[in-house]
Amino acid sequence: MPLYLPIAEMSMNIFLLLGMGAAVGFLSGMFGVGGGFLMTPLLIFTGVPPAVAVATEANEITAASVSGALAHWRRGGVDIKMGAVLIAGGAVGSFIGAQVFKILRELGQVDLVISLAYVLFLGSVGALMLKESLTAIQRQRKGVVVVSKKRDHSGWIHRLPLKMRFRKSRLYISALLPLIIGCLVGFLSAIMGVGGGFIMVPAMIYILGMPTNVVVGTSLFQIIFVTASVTFLHSVNTQTVDIVMAVLLLTGAVIGAQIGARAGLKLKGEQLRAILALIVLGVGVRMAYGLIVRPGDLYSISPVLGS
Amino acid sequence: MMRCAFILMFALFPGLAWGQTGLVADISERTIEIRYSFSGAHLLLFGAIKKDAGLDVENPDIVVVVRGPAMPVVVRRKERIAGIWVNMDSLTFINAPGYYAVASTRPLDEIADRRTLRTHEIGFNNIQLAIQTALDAEEYNAFRSAFIRNKGAEGLFFSSTANVTLAEDVLFRTDVELPANVPVGSYAADVYLFQDGQLLGSHSTDLVVDKSGFERAVYDLAHMRPALYGLLAIFIAVAAGWTAGTLARH
């Protein structure tokens, strides 16, 4: 059943959009990730203009992270204070990101930068995750019990000014750290059309040293606000948020996420991480392939913006 | 028989008017509304050659050109830099038609000479694409043909010979296909009557492609009240996420 999308200005099958939403929702429910890093490339591959894909996906992730954050909130897994500092950084980052995005669009380099960002971040995060999870699986087979390492902040982190106490995370650290991390993730969110959980979660664990029980909840909590801000900025700057597409994607995603969350319970943590790592790497490799292989037509056309 | 057809045509389409040169034409829909179910439109353009207008028409040729709204377009060329393909040189055509369809009774070069075709911008090769900066002809032509090739790939430029059917040298008809990605704006459907390489007459019909109903409302809100649109998008997402989160609990 074809449906005309008013902002993307193309006709797409309703069931294709619902199905893509459900498939990515299934994986995001299973692995506890937002799924933006999968959905945005998928939309681009199906012919949605990259600018519309990025902006609309930010809108969809807001919905996904609200329902995810709600579940963590109920069991006390959200550090509001830490979230607020991350959001403050995220607001700055997403603002800069949206401006950079607008300039890149005018220069005709937005597709290239989206692809490069995906290759760089998904490639490195995927490789690290795969290595970590495979080591964990091997260790478990050998029956080695791993004692988690004590959080260990190197000296320079402790010497940073503006120290703040985060009770829920049991931390006393400089507010500059979460501000900078929030800013970086907000920037990537605006450029890549992702929530940024795949960067935020490791950063929270390894750089901030937050306890794992508040990491995912706090990450989702701040993603709500960062993606909402990205949605707003893209709406104002480039008018590329397609509400109709977002509603269809998130309807599918919400249903898929519930099924995925149940399916995820049947797998072990390190197995889940290994599968997720392979998917992340796969998307990165696909993006790299698109950059390296000679395009069918070296020329491309696009409307002049602001006309 | 012919007379009956004419009477029927005038009865059905009262807007039909003779062009100044013995040509009359109309199109099945003059306003194409893009609604939620829009997946392209199929139009029928038809008309007649008036025989008794002082014209002695035998073996006439009909060319139909449908032109979409002109808008500036950038054409970019990729080059390989450090192993990856990057957009480098670009050229902007100031007034490129967003849509261009040409149909004719015979191949265009058999109908008229290049100069006549160029004057009336009939055929891909004769569309005048203006640029702002001077450029050598070879480069210009490379970008120009790339533009036409890409438009063709998008389904927005096409040409067909023998797609115009001419009955008894009087009545003619052709199909006009508008794909789902057709640009919004004012269109002109021009009919040209040729004989022995001479342009005997032409007739122009205006049509409008516009978003309407819900699609129009969403588009207008996004462009005229972008801040409100952004807030609405956020509100919908939060409400949907909240509902899903609450339902999942039960």
Side-chain angles (χ1 to χ4, degrees), chain A residues 187-237:
Chain A
F187 181 80
L188 291 179
S189 186
I191 300 260
M192 295 169 72
V194 295
F198 68 97
I199 305 264
M200 185 56 89
V201 169
M204 283 170 153
I205 297 172
Y206 298 111
I207 301 176
L208 299 181
M210 283 168 68
T212 41
N213 63 327
V214 293
V215 161
V216 176
T218 309
S219 163
L220 285 169
F221 175 73
Q222 73 88 34
I223 286 172
I224 298 173
F225 291 88
V226 172
T227 52
S229 135
V230 169
T231 303
F232 184 77
L233 292 167
H234 282 317
S235 295
V236 171
N237 282 350

Side-chain angles (χ1 to χ4, degrees), chain A residues 4 6 9 59 63 67 74 108-109 228 235 239 241 243 250 254 258 291-294 297-302 304, chain B residues 34 36 72 74-78 80 85 87 146 149-150 180 211 215 222 227 229-230 233-234 237 240-241 244 248-249:
Chain A
Y4 186 83
E9 303 196 313
N59 191 207
S67 78
R74 287 198 194 100
Q109 301 299 357
S235 295
Q239 290 91 42
V241 177
I243 287 189
L250 67 86
V254 156
Q258 296 304 324
L291 285 173
I292 292 163
V293 105
R294 186 189 169 90
D297 193 337
L298 291 183
Y299 294 83
S300 61
I301 57 174
S302 58
V304 174
Chain B
I34 298 184
Y36 63 91
V74 200
V75 183
R76 295 193 169 89
R77 181 170 55 206
K78 285 195 174 67
R80 189 170 216 154
W85 292 93
N87 282 333
R149 189 169 63 239
N150 273 280
K211 288 173 184 156
E215 312 305 296
Y229 182 92
I234 295 166
R249 200 184 177 195

Side-chain angles (χ1 to χ4, degrees), chain B residues 32-51:
Chain B
I32 293 93
E33 294 187 336
I34 298 184
R35 291 175 179 278
Y36 63 91
S37 56
F38 185 75
S39 58
H42 174 93
L43 308 178
L44 174 68
L45 186 145
F46 56 88
I49 301 159
K50 199 180 176 189
K51 283 250 174 182

Side-chain angles (χ1 to χ4, degrees), chain A residues 149-270:
Chain A
K149 264 187 262 169
K150 196 119 176 71
R151 275 181 267 131
D152 171 37
H153 279 146
S154 38
W156 66 272
I157 282 179
H158 276 302
R159 282 197 294 277
L160 288 171
L162 287 171
K163 283 212 166 188
M164 245 172 140
R165 191 167 297 284
F166 298 96
R167 278 181 208 290
K168 197 130 202 175
S169 303
R170 298 193 301 277
L171 284 174
Y172 182 62
I173 52 164
S174 163
L176 285 177
L177 275 178
L179 269 177
I180 294 166
I181 293 169
C183 185
L184 175 73
V185 173
F187 181 80
L188 291 179
S189 186
I191 300 260
M192 295 169 72
V194 295
F198 68 97
I199 305 264
M200 185 56 89
V201 169
M204 283 170 153
I205 297 172
Y206 298 111
I207 301 176
L208 299 181
M210 283 168 68
T212 41
N213 63 327
V214 293
V215 161
V216 176
T218 309
S219 163
L220 285 169
F221 175 73
Q222 73 88 34
I223 286 172
I224 298 173
F225 291 88
V226 172
T227 52
S229 135
V230 169
T231 303
F232 184 77
L233 292 167
H234 282 317
S235 295
V236 171
N237 282 350
T238 49
Q239 290 91 42
T240 43
V241 177
D242 196 311
I243 287 189
V244 179
M245 197 198 302
V247 165
L248 287 169
L249 289 175
L250 67 86
T251 307
V254 156
I255 298 163
Q258 296 304 324
I259 305 167
R262 269 164 215 148
L265 295 176
K266 297 197 178 101
L267 288 167
K268 284 183 192 148
E270 51 274 14

Side-chain angles (χ1 to χ4, degrees), chain A residues 80-204:
Chain A
I80 301 270
K81 194 174 177 188
M82 179 64 84
V85 177
L86 288 167
I87 290 162
V92 177
S94 58
F95 182 78
I96 301 170
Q99 296 300 321
V100 170
F101 191 84
K102 194 180 177 187
I103 296 166
L104 288 171
R105 232 187 133 197
E106 280 155 12
L107 292 175
Q109 301 299 357
V110 75
D111 306 17
L112 174 74
V113 173
I114 291 175
S115 299
L116 281 176
Y118 270 86
V119 171
L120 186 68
F121 288 100
L122 294 189
S124 51
V125 170
L128 285 173
M129 263 170 66
L130 188 65
K131 183 168 169 270
E132 182 273 335
S133 53
L134 289 179
T135 321
I137 291 171
Q138 262 177 351
R139 276 201 192 122
Q140 208 172 42
R141 287 214 180 119
K142 286 181 193 154
V144 182
V145 182
V146 189
V147 185
S148 57
K149 264 187 262 169
K150 196 119 176 71
R151 275 181 267 131
D152 171 37
H153 279 146
S154 38
W156 66 272
I157 282 179
H158 276 302
R159 282 197 294 277
L160 288 171
L162 287 171
K163 283 212 166 188
M164 245 172 140
R165 191 167 297 284
F166 298 96
R167 278 181 208 290
K168 197 130 202 175
S169 303
R170 298 193 301 277
L171 284 174
Y172 182 62
I173 52 164
S174 163
L176 285 177
L177 275 178
L179 269 177
I180 294 166
I181 293 169
C183 185
L184 175 73
V185 173
F187 181 80
L188 291 179
S189 186
I191 300 260
M192 295 169 72
V194 295
F198 68 97
I199 305 264
M200 185 56 89
V201 169
M204 283 170 153

Side-chain angles (χ1 to χ4, degrees), chain A residues 269-292:
Chain A
E270 51 274 14
Q271 288 174 332
L272 278 176
R273 289 203 301 278
I275 300 169
L276 179 61
L278 286 175
I279 297 172
V280 168
L281 267 180
V283 176
V285 168
R286 175 65 184 82
M287 281 289 191
Y289 175 80
L291 285 173
I292 292 163

Side-chain angles (χ1 to χ4, degrees), chain B residues 13-92:
Chain B
F13 299 94
L16 220 60
W18 290 109
Q20 71 273 42
T21 41
L23 245 187
V24 64
D26 202 355
I27 197 152
S28 54
E29 265 181 278
R30 287 187 185 217
T31 309
I32 293 93
E33 294 187 336
I34 298 184
R35 291 175 179 278
Y36 63 91
S37 56
F38 185 75
S39 58
H42 174 93
L43 308 178
L44 174 68
L45 186 145
F46 56 88
I49 301 159
K50 199 180 176 189
K51 283 250 174 182
D52 52 340
L55 288 171
D56 186 23
V57 187
E58 264 176 63
N59 299 320
D61 280 306
I62 292 286
V63 180
V64 176
V65 182
V66 181
R67 297 178 177 91
M71 55 187 99
V73 168
V74 200
V75 183
R76 295 193 169 89
R77 181 170 55 206
K78 285 195 174 67
E79 273 173 45
R80 189 170 216 154
I81 289 173
I84 59 171
W85 292 93
V86 182
N87 282 333
M88 293 298 286
D89 292 333
S90 70
L91 184 63
T92 303

